[in-house]
Amino acid sequence: MAELRGALIGCGFFAVNQMHAWKDVADAGIVAICDRDPERLRIVGDQFGIARRYGDAQALFADGGFDFVDIATTVQSHRALVEMAASHKVPAICQKPFAKTLTDAKGMVAACHAAGIPLMVHENFRWQTPIQAVKKVLEEGAIGTPFWGRFSFRSGYDVFSGQPYLAKGERFIVEDLGIHTLDIARFLFGDVRTLTARTKRINPQIKGEDVATILLDHESGATSIVDVSYATKLGVEPFPETLVEIDGSAGTIRLSQGYRLEVTSGDGTEVTVVPPALLPWASRPWHNIQESVLAIQQHWIDRLKSGGETSTSGADNLKTFALVEAAYQSAVSGQVVDVGALLR
Ligand code: NAD
Ligand code: 89V
């Protein structure tokens, strides 16, 4: 079949990974790019050989000639660009964090629904090879019914040199990174009824919080902890690994540093290593994230062709985004937050 033609808006730090991945995705290619910064437009256009370049998204949509748009800008522009895609009836991928507020995110889902176009949030962490391996063990039933979990990302990695805006926002770790970890908790344990959170800022050079501990009561009855930190200095830096501990009625799962997966069940204990592939364009330590970018973009194309809903559709991601909002509310109030009430 003919390739699906994409346009990418936002040619910054992370978009380079998305552009590399689009070259590897079967049945798709990027035919136009857009950035309001002419230097970023030139760098990415020249690197990936894209002739159609736009400094303004309105002009890009007015010219058309593409089957989907990949929005890789930072959060401030997400609502306007997704609604622009909806008004032109162009299926859209939107980077995380989906929106500035849950109200905006609900508006974006409603706009795409009304336009009859698919909307996927680029929430790629659940697509990482080690996380998919944990999901497979759960689905096979080896550890019975999970009743407790811990989803942990603790690092001292300097994310601010590549993404300087992360040091400047009122909100940092829950909105930027915890959003991924909360999505992994939902992916593995299902939706969340109530949430309690505590946050801290340890690094005095940044504005937002860089440590968060979040307690989740899942609808299944399971309890989990999501803990994230960019203030944790370890002997061997684990960035960007999410570590997982799960206790079930018939066994346990431990995903530990170095992509070591230990599964204990009625059959004994089995240890395997589930590392991500190092794609030709990838570089350590980002290769775990980079591989998941290719996986989610291939999933988008497969679903565009088949017509099914994506794993991280806008509607699905509202439930992850609500956890971010709930975490900030709980950190301020000290109270337990009813997540369902935020979504109603
Ligand atoms: P960045 O600032 O490096 O790049 C954003 C680019 O978008 C800039 O070049 C900017 O000029 C352009 N831009 C902004 N608004 C625009 C508009 N209205 N029209 C045209 N161009 C516009 O940011 P980044 O670090 O690449 O992050 C981009 C997004 O990717 C963020 O939302 C971030 O959270 C997300 N991100 C996701 C992952 C992941 O693993 N999923 C990793 C890193 C970053
Ligand atoms: O995935 C992200 O959103 C990145 C990072 C892993 C550095 O937090 O911002």
Side-chain angles (χ1 to χ4, degrees), residues 155-163 230 237 239 286:
S155 167
Y157 188 81
D158 172 23
V159 287
F160 308 107
S161 53
Q163 296 163 269
Y230 272 127
E237 173 54 55
F239 181 89
W286 285 84

PDB file of all heavy atoms in Angstrom, residues 155-163 230 237 239 286:
ATOM      1  N   SER A 155      16.928   8.886  39.978  1.00  0.00           N
ATOM      2  CA  SER A 155      18.090   9.189  39.149  1.00  0.00           C
ATOM      3  C   SER A 155      18.717  10.510  39.582  1.00  0.00           C
ATOM      4  O   SER A 155      18.064  11.343  40.223  1.00  0.00           O
ATOM      5  CB  SER A 155      17.607   9.286  37.685  1.00  0.00           C
ATOM      6  OG  SER A 155      18.585   9.863  36.865  1.00  0.00           O
ATOM      7  N   GLY A 156      19.977  10.677  39.206  1.00  0.00           N
ATOM      8  CA  GLY A 156      20.639  11.967  39.397  1.00  0.00           C
ATOM      9  C   GLY A 156      21.077  12.538  38.057  1.00  0.00           C
ATOM     10  O   GLY A 156      21.925  13.434  38.003  1.00  0.00           O
ATOM     11  N   TYR A 157      20.531  11.989  36.975  1.00  0.00           N
ATOM     12  CA  TYR A 157      20.928  12.378  35.609  1.00  0.00           C
ATOM     13  C   TYR A 157      20.588  13.856  35.355  1.00  0.00           C
ATOM     14  O   TYR A 157      19.526  14.338  35.764  1.00  0.00           O
ATOM     15  CB  TYR A 157      20.167  11.490  34.610  1.00  0.00           C
ATOM     16  CG  TYR A 157      20.601  11.638  33.179  1.00  0.00           C
ATOM     17  CD1 TYR A 157      21.734  10.988  32.710  1.00  0.00           C
ATOM     18  CD2 TYR A 157      19.866  12.407  32.286  1.00  0.00           C
ATOM     19  CE1 TYR A 157      22.129  11.112  31.380  1.00  0.00           C
ATOM     20  CE2 TYR A 157      20.242  12.535  30.962  1.00  0.00           C
ATOM     21  CZ  TYR A 157      21.378  11.891  30.518  1.00  0.00           C
ATOM     22  OH  TYR A 157      21.766  12.012  29.210  1.00  0.00           O
ATOM     23  N   ASP A 158      21.461  14.544  34.645  1.00  0.00           N
ATOM     24  CA  ASP A 158      21.236  15.964  34.325  1.00  0.00           C
ATOM     25  C   ASP A 158      20.343  16.075  33.089  1.00  0.00           C
ATOM     26  O   ASP A 158      20.833  16.051  31.958  1.00  0.00           O
ATOM     27  CB  ASP A 158      22.582  16.662  34.077  1.00  0.00           C
ATOM     28  CG  ASP A 158      22.382  18.075  33.545  1.00  0.00           C
ATOM     29  OD1 ASP A 158      21.295  18.655  33.777  1.00  0.00           O
ATOM     30  OD2 ASP A 158      23.316  18.588  32.887  1.00  0.00           O
ATOM     31  N   VAL A 159      19.041  16.196  33.338  1.00  0.00           N
ATOM     32  CA  VAL A 159      18.109  16.350  32.208  1.00  0.00           C
ATOM     33  C   VAL A 159      18.021  17.810  31.759  1.00  0.00           C
ATOM     34  O   VAL A 159      17.509  18.103  30.683  1.00  0.00           O
ATOM     35  CB  VAL A 159      16.673  15.872  32.564  1.00  0.00           C
ATOM     36  CG1 VAL A 159      16.625  14.368  32.629  1.00  0.00           C
ATOM     37  CG2 VAL A 159      16.171  16.495  33.847  1.00  0.00           C
ATOM     38  N   PHE A 160      18.558  18.725  32.586  1.00  0.00           N
ATOM     39  CA  PHE A 160      18.344  20.156  32.323  1.00  0.00           C
ATOM     40  C   PHE A 160      19.222  20.687  31.189  1.00  0.00           C
ATOM     41  O   PHE A 160      18.861  21.664  30.554  1.00  0.00           O
ATOM     42  CB  PHE A 160      18.565  20.955  33.612  1.00  0.00           C
ATOM     43  CG  PHE A 160      17.751  20.404  34.753  1.00  0.00           C
ATOM     44  CD1 PHE A 160      18.357  19.702  35.791  1.00  0.00           C
ATOM     45  CD2 PHE A 160      16.370  20.534  34.754  1.00  0.00           C
ATOM     46  CE1 PHE A 160      17.604  19.165  36.818  1.00  0.00           C
ATOM     47  CE2 PHE A 160      15.603  19.990  35.773  1.00  0.00           C
ATOM     48  CZ  PHE A 160      16.223  19.306  36.815  1.00  0.00           C
ATOM     49  N   SER A 161      20.381  20.032  30.933  1.00  0.00           N
ATOM     50  CA  SER A 161      21.228  20.562  29.861  1.00  0.00           C
ATOM     51  C   SER A 161      20.573  20.318  28.493  1.00  0.00           C
ATOM     52  O   SER A 161      20.633  21.184  27.618  1.00  0.00           O
ATOM     53  CB  SER A 161      22.646  19.984  29.923  1.00  0.00           C
ATOM     54  OG  SER A 161      22.595  18.606  29.957  1.00  0.00           O
ATOM     55  N   GLY A 162      19.907  19.176  28.299  1.00  0.00           N
ATOM     56  CA  GLY A 162      19.220  18.912  27.022  1.00  0.00           C
ATOM     57  C   GLY A 162      17.865  19.616  26.946  1.00  0.00           C
ATOM     58  O   GLY A 162      17.422  20.000  25.870  1.00  0.00           O
ATOM     59  N   GLN A 163      17.201  19.746  28.097  1.00  0.00           N
ATOM     60  CA  GLN A 163      15.848  20.318  28.133  1.00  0.00           C
ATOM     61  C   GLN A 163      15.811  21.437  29.191  1.00  0.00           C
ATOM     62  O   GLN A 163      15.239  21.246  30.276  1.00  0.00           O
ATOM     63  CB  GLN A 163      14.834  19.217  28.468  1.00  0.00           C
ATOM     64  CG  GLN A 163      14.753  18.115  27.411  1.00  0.00           C
ATOM     65  CD  GLN A 163      14.068  16.866  27.945  1.00  0.00           C
ATOM     66  OE1 GLN A 163      14.705  15.966  28.471  1.00  0.00           O
ATOM     67  NE2 GLN A 163      12.757  16.832  27.833  1.00  0.00           N
ATOM     68  N   TYR A 230      14.754  13.057  40.681  1.00  0.00           N
ATOM     69  CA  TYR A 230      15.950  13.447  39.936  1.00  0.00           C
ATOM     70  C   TYR A 230      16.994  13.992  40.911  1.00  0.00           C
ATOM     71  O   TYR A 230      17.874  14.743  40.523  1.00  0.00           O
ATOM     72  CB  TYR A 230      15.616  14.495  38.865  1.00  0.00           C
ATOM     73  CG  TYR A 230      15.191  13.888  37.545  1.00  0.00           C
ATOM     74  CD1 TYR A 230      13.998  14.262  36.940  1.00  0.00           C
ATOM     75  CD2 TYR A 230      15.996  12.953  36.887  1.00  0.00           C
ATOM     76  CE1 TYR A 230      13.608  13.719  35.724  1.00  0.00           C
ATOM     77  CE2 TYR A 230      15.611  12.406  35.678  1.00  0.00           C
ATOM     78  CZ  TYR A 230      14.426  12.782  35.101  1.00  0.00           C
ATOM     79  OH  TYR A 230      14.046  12.242  33.901  1.00  0.00           O
ATOM     80  N   GLU A 237      24.442   4.999  37.676  1.00  0.00           N
ATOM     81  CA  GLU A 237      23.280   5.819  37.306  1.00  0.00           C
ATOM     82  C   GLU A 237      22.277   4.986  36.471  1.00  0.00           C
ATOM     83  O   GLU A 237      22.647   4.458  35.419  1.00  0.00           O
ATOM     84  CB  GLU A 237      23.782   7.021  36.494  1.00  0.00           C
ATOM     85  CG  GLU A 237      22.698   7.884  35.882  1.00  0.00           C
ATOM     86  CD  GLU A 237      21.658   8.377  36.879  1.00  0.00           C
ATOM     87  OE1 GLU A 237      22.024   9.006  37.878  1.00  0.00           O
ATOM     88  OE2 GLU A 237      20.462   8.108  36.656  1.00  0.00           O
ATOM     89  N   PHE A 239      19.456   6.012  34.881  1.00  0.00           N
ATOM     90  CA  PHE A 239      18.665   6.721  33.865  1.00  0.00           C
ATOM     91  C   PHE A 239      18.710   5.993  32.535  1.00  0.00           C
ATOM     92  O   PHE A 239      19.803   5.625  32.082  1.00  0.00           O
ATOM     93  CB  PHE A 239      19.205   8.148  33.673  1.00  0.00           C
ATOM     94  CG  PHE A 239      18.443   8.969  32.671  1.00  0.00           C
ATOM     95  CD1 PHE A 239      17.361   9.727  33.047  1.00  0.00           C
ATOM     96  CD2 PHE A 239      18.816   8.963  31.322  1.00  0.00           C
ATOM     97  CE1 PHE A 239      16.648  10.481  32.117  1.00  0.00           C
ATOM     98  CE2 PHE A 239      18.103   9.717  30.384  1.00  0.00           C
ATOM     99  CZ  PHE A 239      17.022  10.478  30.786  1.00  0.00           C
ATOM    100  N   TRP A 286      19.951   6.740  26.307  1.00  0.00           N
ATOM    101  CA  TRP A 286      18.592   7.044  25.852  1.00  0.00           C
ATOM    102  C   TRP A 286      17.963   5.914  25.035  1.00  0.00           C
ATOM    103  O   TRP A 286      16.803   6.001  24.630  1.00  0.00           O
ATOM    104  CB  TRP A 286      18.622   8.331  25.012  1.00  0.00           C
ATOM    105  CG  TRP A 286      18.777   9.568  25.838  1.00  0.00           C
ATOM    106  CD1 TRP A 286      19.948  10.109  26.295  1.00  0.00           C
ATOM    107  CD2 TRP A 286      17.736  10.430  26.336  1.00  0.00           C
ATOM    108  NE1 TRP A 286      19.693  11.243  27.026  1.00  0.00           N
ATOM    109  CE2 TRP A 286      18.344  11.465  27.069  1.00  0.00           C
ATOM    110  CE3 TRP A 286      16.343  10.429  26.224  1.00  0.00           C
ATOM    111  CZ2 TRP A 286      17.621  12.490  27.686  1.00  0.00           C
ATOM    112  CZ3 TRP A 286      15.619  11.451  26.836  1.00  0.00           C
ATOM    113  CH2 TRP A 286      16.256  12.450  27.561  1.00  0.00           C
TER     114      TRP A 286
END
